[in-house]
Amino acid sequence: MKKISRREFIKTSFATAGTVVASSGMAKAANAVPRREEPLATLIDISKCIGCEECVFACQESNATKFPKPKKPFPKMVPTSRVPVEDWSEKQDVTDRLTPYNWLYIQHAQVNVDGEEIELTIPRRCMHCENPPCVKLCPWGAAKQEDNGLSRIDSDLCLGGSKCKTVCPWDIPQRQTGTGLYLDLLPSMAGNGVMYKCDRCYDKLENGEKPACIEACPEDVQIIGPRDEILKQAHKIAKEIGGYIYGEHENGGTNTIYVSPVPFDLLNKKIETGVGKPHLFKVKDLMADGTNIAKAMIIAPIAGVLAALGKIHMQSKKEK
C-alpha cells in the first residue's frame, strides 16, 4: 500500500470529501453530539484512516492554550534522582508519539489483509476508561471524570507525581517539568511538573461541539455518541467487514472503541510500542482488583480535600 503524504491527500481527496461524508451514515451520527449528561464514546474505524494526520494537527491547534509554559531553570529535586526531569518544551513539533504537547498521534502497522500487504494507521490517544484508574488512584484529586465519561487532568492541581501514568494500562499521561502547583509548594520535593493527556476537548463538548480531531478528519474515521449506540455501530461494522473490536472490555471497558479489519493481537505485533507509544494488548480490569478498590476508597476523601485546598490556592494566586 502506497503511503501518501498529507499534502498529496489534501490535493487529491478534498474535492470529493463532501460527497463521501454526506452519503455516510456515520457522518450523520458524528454531526450530533448529545448535550445530556451520559457516557459518550468515540468509535474509530481503523479501516478508514489514511494517516493524513489532520486529526493530530487539529488537536494541537485546538489545545495550544492548554499546553505547558515551563519556567527555567528547573528547580533541582532532592535527591536529584528521585523524579527525573522531563522537558518537551524544545520538542513541541514531535508528532510520532504522545508528549505533553502532542496528545494524539498515528501508529503504523504493515499487515496482510486477504493476501495483500497493506499499511493500517491508527489514531492513538487516551482510552478514557469507564472506571479510570488514573482518576480513582490520583492522590491529589487532580484527575477527574466528567459525567459524560471523559477523564481529564486539572493542570492547576496536578503535582506531576505520575501516579496516573503508573496505573494507566497504556502509560498514556506524559510529564512536563517546570510548570504547575509544585513550583509554589515544594519545588524540590514534589512531583516535578504536570501530567498531560487528551481531555477529549471537554470544553468543546460542553458547548455541544465535536472534539477537534473528529471535526477535522476528512475521511470520517471517528464518530462520537452515547456508548451503547457506539457499541452497536462498532459491532455492525465489525460484522460487515469481518472485523474486530478493541475497547469494549479492555480495563473493564473504555470510551474509545476501535474497529479493525485484522485481529488486534496481530496489530500489536506490528506497531511500534514503548515510551509514549501505547500497546494494543488485552487489558484486565485493574479497578476490579481488591487492592486498588481499597486504595481508591482511602484516597477519595483525602484527594477531595487536597483538590479543594489546591483550588483555593490557585484562586488566591490569580487574585493577586
Side-chain angles (χ1 to χ4, degrees):
M1 182 178 182
K2 180 183 177 182
K3 180 173 174 57
I4 61 176
S5 70
R6 176 170 170 259
R7 180 175 296 178
E8 288 172 337
F9 166 73
I10 293 172
K11 285 183 177 179
T12 57
S13 66
F14 186 79
T16 60
T19 303
V20 173
V21 172
S23 62
S24 167
M26 288 182 69
K28 294 177 181 178
N31 284 330
V33 180
R35 289 174 180 268
R36 56 190 184 280
E37 296 301 334
E38 62 180 294
L40 293 175
T42 51
L43 170 57
I44 300 176
D45 186 348
I46 293 173
S47 66
K48 288 189 172 186
C49 182
I50 64 170
C52 68
E53 294 191 317
E54 286 299 309
C55 57
V56 177
F57 300 121
C59 176
Q60 290 183 334
E61 181 179 354
S62 179
N63 293 296
T65 58
K66 304 173 187 174
F67 291 160
K69 299 176 180 62
K71 298 178 181 178
K72 298 182 180 181
F74 302 140
K76 291 184 178 180
M77 301 300 291
V78 179
T80 55
S81 60
R82 190 171 66 84
V83 182
V85 169
E86 294 184 62
D87 182 18
W88 289 89
S89 60
E90 304 299 326
K91 298 177 284 186
Q92 297 185 32
D93 58 344
V94 171
T95 60
D96 65 349
R97 55 157 288 171
L98 298 174
T99 79
Y101 299 88
N102 192 59
W103 302 351
L104 165 67
Y105 84 107
I106 304 295
Q107 278 181 325
H108 299 261
Q110 291 286 341
V111 297
N112 189 289
V113 178
D114 298 328
E116 180 183 358
E117 193 76 11
I118 67 169
E119 181 182 30
L120 290 178
T121 48
I122 313 161
R124 299 303 305 276
R125 53 165 173 71
C126 177
M127 296 294 290
H128 292 286
C129 302
E130 286 202 287
N131 194 14
C134 62
V135 173
K136 302 300 175 66
L137 298 175
C138 174
W140 310 112
K144 63 180 295 186
Q145 185 178 35
E146 304 290 354
D147 291 337
N148 63 13
L150 72 86
S151 57
R152 65 186 182 91
I153 299 170
D154 189 331
S155 59
D156 283 344
L157 301 179
C158 180
L159 293 173
S162 78
K163 181 66 175 180
C164 55
K165 182 176 182 178
T166 302
V167 301
C168 173
W170 296 275
D171 298 328
I172 297 293
Q174 303 293 315
R175 181 197 288 120
Q176 172 59 49
T177 296
T179 186
L181 188 58
Y182 92 107
L183 293 174
D184 295 337
L185 302 180
L186 296 167
S188 297
M189 301 291 290
N192 207 1
V194 170
M195 306 301 293
Y196 292 88
K197 72 174 190 67
C198 160
D199 61 17
R200 208 163 57 169
C201 292
Y202 74 93
D203 41 353
K204 285 181 172 291
L205 289 176
E206 287 176 352
N207 292 321
E209 302 174 38
K210 291 180 288 185
C213 58
I214 298 178
E215 185 72 46
C217 179
E219 289 296 293
D220 196 28
V221 172
Q222 297 189 56
I223 60 171
I224 187 169
R227 190 173 191 271
D228 56 348
E229 294 180 17
I230 289 296
L231 284 174
K232 288 178 183 178
Q233 185 72 5
H235 280 279
K236 178 182 178 183
I237 295 172
K239 184 177 181 180
E240 290 173 351
I241 68 174
Y244 304 83
I245 296 174
Y246 188 86
E248 182 175 10
H249 303 295
E250 277 65 31
N251 198 30
T254 72
N255 289 315
T256 299
I257 307 297
Y258 289 96
V259 178
S260 167
V262 300
F264 282 93
D265 57 353
L266 173 60
L267 274 183
N268 196 58
K269 294 176 182 178
K270 300 294 184 177
I271 60 175
E272 181 182 354
T273 59
V275 180
K277 299 180 179 182
H279 62 77
L280 285 167
F281 283 123
K282 291 182 179 179
V283 177
K284 67 178 182 179
D285 186 353
L286 297 185
M287 291 310 299
D289 180 271
T291 302
N292 283 337
I293 293 174
K295 287 180 180 178
M297 292 177 67
I298 295 171
I299 287 172
I302 300 173
V305 171
L306 292 174
L309 292 174
K311 289 178 180 178
I312 292 172
H313 172 76
M314 292 307 298
Q315 183 61 37
S316 62
K317 183 178 178 181
K318 291 176 181 177
E319 292 175 353
K320 289 181 180 179

